[in-house]
């Protein structure tokens, strides 16, 4: 069996129904194998490799499943890098497959810059922005690395994988039954003192729960909603988690530099902050981290122990575990205690009422609010990066079962249009792509993909004839 055929069969066996890519010389065998199985797996060709990478990110965000994107060697592979960064910083499970020059053309350890045409060492370029980036130089390794790629992309803190495969490896013959298997890695999980967490919750007079994007990544939105509906604790979120618990009386908005002042004031006054799956980065907590929630004890829940090394308070309680385990135990805690937050909730409501009375609504925010009122339930909204993203986060009024997808940590302009394509292909829901005129132009070529595949996306462009956020910053 040819290696490229084996890859496609493996994807199909793992319930992959769609892949995104752009053609090129070194990836032609994979393209041919995909075409031969077109009744079982569909290839969606973009008009730029970055478009394919972002479409895969949007697909994975919207569906919660692994997405696949491919490109050829050299410029094809390097054009994926922005999308790889986006997947890495926002913990999106995407497997990127790049073609590479034949092993006998590779420069290897030679001191020359390049030997094969379009030869580029994409593996070393992407090692710091992937969970695994590997050069496959033997046909017999293909099963091992495919299994490892799917495992790593979806386990622990999710993220991207890059498999770089030379053309002569892709066309090589293998005996599938004799291939090496990948042995699943046993993950170390730290013990969690839920008795201490229960004690802190019972003792608190002004508790707040902070919802982070990790909840969406873990596909635990419904569980969180069930827990919070039974509790009486005020809730805030990160910007990326704005759609986790919307339209509830005890949700007070998202925190941070562009966030709701109500949410920021409430966090400033709380005496216990439980952060679930949020990185608590500079945009959220400020440069002087100790000044964030200064009166509060902080409980931080994160699956990535390295994120917890970036301390907010020296005495914070760190919980290095998966969100599902923490939430199930939190549910048990709330089932056994009754909290009296009545006076604290009145304070939170008073803060919200006073701030709303002096709010000045900008035209752009007013327009965004009006747009949101026209967007139906059960739809997906994909923003670009810039002021349009901030206006969406601040003023979009969410309805039932609506999702908002962002390019968060990487903040990549040009994200919305291709990510909206991937979102539609993955879910077939109603999709709304919100853009500024600057970001829209960055991947405007993907309008041709929308036209070719007849994808029913509504596109909204805020055109102020400038890069509005940059102009604002300069002024």
């Amino acid at each position: 069996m040819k290696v490229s055929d084996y890859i496609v069969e493996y994807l199909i066996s793992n319930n992959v129904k769609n892949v995104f890519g752009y053609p090129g010389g070194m990836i032609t065998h994979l393209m041919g194998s995909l075409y031969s199985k077109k009744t079982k797996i569909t290839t969606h060709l973009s008009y730029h490799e970055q478009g394919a990478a972002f479409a895969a990110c949007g697909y994975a965000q919207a569906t919660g499943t692994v997405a696949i994107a491919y490109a050829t060697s050299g410029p094809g592979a390097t054009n994926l890098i922005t999308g790889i960064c986006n997947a890495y910083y926002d913990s999106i499970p995407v497997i990127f497959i790049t073609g590479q020059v034949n092993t006998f053309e590779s420069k290897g350890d030679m001191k020359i810059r390049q030997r094969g045409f379009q030869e580029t060492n994409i593996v070393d370029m992407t090692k710091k922005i992937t969970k695994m980036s590997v050069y496959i130089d033997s046909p017999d390794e293909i099963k091992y690395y495919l299994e490892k790629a799917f495992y790593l992309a979806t386990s622990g803190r999710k993220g991207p994988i890059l498999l770089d495969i030379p053309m002569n490896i892709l066309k090589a013959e293998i005996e599938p039954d004799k291939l090496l298997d990948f042995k699943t890695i046993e993950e170390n999980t730290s013990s969690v003192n839920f008795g201490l967490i229960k004690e802190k919750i019972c003792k608190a007079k002004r508790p707040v729960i902070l919802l982070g994007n990790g909840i969406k990544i873990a596909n635990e939105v419904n569980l969180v909603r069930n827990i919070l509906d039974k509790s009486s604790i005020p809730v805030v979120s990160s910007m990326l988690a704005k759609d986790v618990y919307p339209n509830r009386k005890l949700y007070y908005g998202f925190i941070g530099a562009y966030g709701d002042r109500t949410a920021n004031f409430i966090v400033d006054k709380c005496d216990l902050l439980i952060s679930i799956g949020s990185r608590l980065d500079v945009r959220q907590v400020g440069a002087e981290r100790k000044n964030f929630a200064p009166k509060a004890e902080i409980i931080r829940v994160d699956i990535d122990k390295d994120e917890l090394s970036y301390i907010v308070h020296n005495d914070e309680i760190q919980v290095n575990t998966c969100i599902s385990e923490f939430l199930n135990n939190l549910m048990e805690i709330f089932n056994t205690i009754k909290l009296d937050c009545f006076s604290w909730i009145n304070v939170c409501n008073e803060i919200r009422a006073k701030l709303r009375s002096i709010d000045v609504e900008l035209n752009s925010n007013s327009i965004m609010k009006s747009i949101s009122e026209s967007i139906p339930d059960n739809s997906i909204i994909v923003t670009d990066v810039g002021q349009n993203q901030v206006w969406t986060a601040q003023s979009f009024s969410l309805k039932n079962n609506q999702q908002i997808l962002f390019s968060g940590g990487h903040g990549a302009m040009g994200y919305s249009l291709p990510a909206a394509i991937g979102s539609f292909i993955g879910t077939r829901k109603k999709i709304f792509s919100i853009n500024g005129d600057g970001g829209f132009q960055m991947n405007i070529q993907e309008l041709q993909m929308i036209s070719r595949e007849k994808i029913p996306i509504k596109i909204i462009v805020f055109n102020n004839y400038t890069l509005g956020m940059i102009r604002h910053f300069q002024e």
Side-chain angles (χ1 to χ4, degrees), residues 205-208 234 266 269-270 341-348:
K205 301 295 183 186
R206 301 185 304 279
V208 170
I266 288 170
K269 291 181 179 297
C270 75
C341 295
F342 183 75
S343 60
W344 170 227
I345 289 169
N346 282 342
V347 171
C348 294

Side-chain angles (χ1 to χ4, degrees), residues 57-71:
C57 287
Y59 182 97
Q61 281 181 303
T63 64
T65 61
V66 174
I68 310 293
Y70 70 79

Side-chain angles (χ1 to χ4, degrees), residues 83-116:
I84 295 171
C85 285
N86 187 80
Y88 186 65
Y89 298 129
D90 286 357
S91 308
I92 304 172
V94 183
I95 296 173
F96 295 90
I97 301 174
T98 52
Q100 186 55 273
V101 300
N102 295 305
T103 55
F104 53 81
E105 294 179 291
S106 173
K107 71 170 188 169
D109 294 329
M110 297 173 70
K111 299 300 183 184
I112 58 176
R113 291 189 179 187
Q114 186 185 55
R115 185 181 176 195

